[in-house]
């Protein structure tokens, strides 16, 4: 953010008005990205003293809240438990996630330590946290987790969201949803959103500083029904 | 990066407070670089990305991961801890925060001289930049050893 750049005083900086997570502005738009880079590189030739310049150019196209909706009907569920609902939802999204993985030739799922085909294990592990007796014991299963508990919970959540993002990326339609539109969908009635709320409740109930910290890493600010992380 | 007014009120206030507590970094000697078309360029990111074979970043990590100049996106994952920034665009096109392919295109077009054989990734969300003094200096030495003239610092 500009306020932080002004506080630190970098030698040459280009301030861009794009959303967090998108510093080059627009995905799969090489010319847009290179235009941003050219403006930054231009400071090498033009700046004669420490400078924070403003990006000049178009804003990227993205679908905000109300401009994008997931076309899939993810209910109803035969097994109405949290785990049952999440696994059913994941099951319905698998064909779409597979489409994206095939088109991209890759996946970024698996930071938790899971293999690309272990989404069920990750979803089951995430849902199990909601009713877990302990938040320091790793979930049971066949995955060699890359993190200790409770930090693992943050990356279980991230891996499941990565899978969901892959699933919606394959669907035909308009511009890709932005952060707010995605959160409106996830926390607007999906089993994943309900699972994350329940996991956050469990972390809150632990009344432990590390658990509270991880709670703030599981649900984006403004989306937890139990209040702010800050 | 983003306008604070675009963020949730509590997050914006948190980040505004962080900015107020940050210390100014005294500038070094002003350098006029050689032309970009003759310069070797490297990316230094705070997106917390790394190769799948690397150890993931942990809470409060001050260390870094090396990203080869010929990295395959299929080998890259992201273990940044923050949940308050969007990953979907990065998952769609990693160049949106780590523009490695764009650098190669600009080198092929003669806009930059060359792409560094190595690039570097830290985990951001660290309120005190001075904590990176040791590993930052180390990366600076590595960049110099690779003949890098320009470091493109890309926060996420």
């Amino acid at each position: 953010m500009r306020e932080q750049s002004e506080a630190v005083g970098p030698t040459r900086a280009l301030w861009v008005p794009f959303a967090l997570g998108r510093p080059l502005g627009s995905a799969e738009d090489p010319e847009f990205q290179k235009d941003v880079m050219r403006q930054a590189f231009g400071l090498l030739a033009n700046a004669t003293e420490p400078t924070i310049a403003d990006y000049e150019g178009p804003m990227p196209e993205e679908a905000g809240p109300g401009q994008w909706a997931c076309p899939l009907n993810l209910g109803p569920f035969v097994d109405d438990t949290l785990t049952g609902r999440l696994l059913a939802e994941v099951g319905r999204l698998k064909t779409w996630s597979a489409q994206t993985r095939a088109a991209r030739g890759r996946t970024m799922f698996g930071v938790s330590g899971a293999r690309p085909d272990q989404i069920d294990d990750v979803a089951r592990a995430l849902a199990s946290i909601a009713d877990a007796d302990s938040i320091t014991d790793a979930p049971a299963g066949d995955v060699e987790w890359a993190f200790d508990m409770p930090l693992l919970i943050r990356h279980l959540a991230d891996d499941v969201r990565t899978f969901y993002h892959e699933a919606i990326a394959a669907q035909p339609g308009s511009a890709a949803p932005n952060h707010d539109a995605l959160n409106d969908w996830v926390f607007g009635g999906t089993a994943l959103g309900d699972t994350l709320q329940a996991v956050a409740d469990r972390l809150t109930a632990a009344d432990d500083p590390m658990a509270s910290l991880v709670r703030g890493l599981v649900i984006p600010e403004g989306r937890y029904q139990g209040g702010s992380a800050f | 990066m983003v306008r604070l007014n675009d963020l949730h009120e509590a997050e914006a206030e948190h980040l505004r407070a962080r900015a107020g507590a940050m210390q100014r970094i005294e500038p070094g000697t002003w350098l006029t670089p050689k032309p970009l078309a003759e310069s070797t360029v490297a990316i230094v990111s705070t997106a917390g990305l790394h190769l799948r074979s690397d150890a993931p970043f942990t809470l409060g990590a001050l260390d870094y991961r090396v990203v080869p100049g010929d990295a395959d996106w299929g080998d890259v994952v992201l273990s940044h801890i923050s949940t308050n920034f969007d990953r979907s665009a990065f998952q769609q096109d990693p160049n949106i925060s780590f523009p490695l392919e764009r650098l190669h295109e600009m080198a092929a077009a003669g806009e930059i001289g060359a792409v560094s054989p190595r690039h570097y990734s830290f985990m951001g969300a660290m309120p005190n930049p001075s904590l990176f003094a040791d590993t930052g200096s180390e990366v600076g030495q590595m960049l110099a050893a690779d003949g890098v003239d320009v470091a493109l610092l890309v926060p996420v």
Side-chain angles (χ1 to χ4, degrees):
Chain A
M1 15 238 86
R2 189 179 186 104
E3 290 81 355
Q4 295 186 351
S5 293
E6 289 173 345
V8 174
T11 307
R12 301 172 182 87
L14 177 71
W15 178 79
V16 296
F18 312 134
L20 291 177
R22 305 180 178 208
L24 273 291
S26 184
E28 295 183 339
D29 191 340
E31 285 310 310
F32 192 111
Q33 294 171 3
K34 281 189 278 193
D35 183 53
V36 177
M37 295 165 73
R38 288 178 186 122
Q39 291 189 39
F41 288 144
L43 296 170
L44 293 167
N46 299 327
T48 56
E49 60 182 4
T51 301
I52 301 176
D54 291 327
Y55 164 81
E56 295 181 358
M59 289 294 287
E61 289 186 21
E62 57 185 34
Q67 298 172 304
W68 176 86
C70 179
L72 302 180
N73 179 6
L74 297 176
F77 304 101
V78 175
D79 178 352
D80 204 33
T81 65
L82 203 58
T83 300
R85 291 175 57 216
L86 183 60
L87 287 174
E89 199 168 88
V90 163
R92 289 173 194 177
L93 293 173
K94 280 181 180 174
T95 187
W96 292 103
S97 170
Q99 292 285 313
T100 294
R101 290 184 183 189
R104 293 177 179 170
R106 58 177 172 78
T107 178
M108 290 195 177
F109 174 90
V111 72
S112 67
R115 296 190 313 265
D117 62 348
Q118 289 184 305
I119 176 61
D120 283 353
D121 299 79
V122 175
R124 192 177 290 109
L126 179 64
S128 75
I129 304 299
D131 298 319
D133 292 331
S134 165
I135 58 158
T136 55
D137 295 335
D142 297 328
V143 181
E144 190 172 329
W145 303 117
F147 296 87
D148 293 331
M149 289 284 281
L151 184 58
L152 172 63
I153 299 168
R154 188 269 167 277
H155 295 288
L156 294 174
D158 198 37
D159 260 349
V160 180
R161 281 204 64 152
T162 296
F163 172 85
Y164 275 58
H165 292 169
E166 287 178 338
I168 61 170
Q171 296 162 16
S174 57
N178 67 12
H179 193 50
D180 287 338
L182 283 169
N183 285 330
D184 278 359
W185 172 54
V186 169
F187 296 101
T190 67
L192 172 58
D194 293 347
T195 301
L196 291 172
Q197 294 284 358
V199 167
D201 287 343
R202 176 65 186 89
L203 289 165
T204 301
D207 194 23
D208 170 83
M210 185 63 179
S212 296
L213 178 62
V214 173
R215 204 299 286 154
L217 306 175
V218 167
I219 296 183
E221 182 60 28
R223 302 288 175 169
Y224 178 42
Q225 58 198 10
S228 172
F230 296 116
Chain B
M1 298 294 291
V2 68
R3 295 182 182 89
L4 288 180
N5 289 344
D6 294 336
L7 302 178
H8 185 274
E9 184 179 341
E11 183 184 8
E13 184 55 38
H14 171 73
L15 293 173
R16 191 175 289 113
R18 275 194 170 187
M22 284 181 169
Q23 295 182 350
R24 193 166 196 82
I25 297 174
E26 292 305 317
T29 304
W30 184 265
L31 298 175
T32 300
K34 62 186 182 185
L36 188 62
E38 300 172 13
S39 297
T40 297
V41 181
I43 300 168
V44 179
S45 165
T46 56
L49 65 86
H50 52 84
L51 300 183
R52 200 177 286 267
S53 56
D54 277 332
F57 287 102
T58 58
L59 277 174
L62 298 174
D63 55 355
Y64 59 86
R65 307 290 181 268
V66 180
V67 180
D70 59 354
D72 184 325
W73 295 135
D75 296 330
V76 170
V77 291
L78 191 150
S79 62
H80 198 295
I81 58 164
S82 175
T83 190
N84 287 321
F85 71 87
D86 170 48
R87 266 106 159 129
S88 64
F90 178 79
Q91 291 156 359
Q92 180 185 358
D93 175 13
N95 291 287
I96 200 165
S97 59
F98 202 89
L100 188 55
E101 290 177 295
R102 300 294 88 82
L103 282 187
H104 283 292
E105 292 164 5
M106 295 173 87
E111 290 187 68
I112 65 172
V115 182
S116 172
R118 273 166 284 273
H119 306 264
Y120 295 88
S121 175
F122 290 83
M123 187 172 73
M126 185 63 69
N128 185 355
S130 66
L131 295 175
F132 289 103
D134 288 344
T135 47
S137 296
E138 185 174 300
V139 165
Q141 291 169 10
M142 299 298 177
L143 292 171
D146 272 331
V148 170
D149 303 293
V150 174
L152 180 62
L153 310 181
V154 189
V156 73

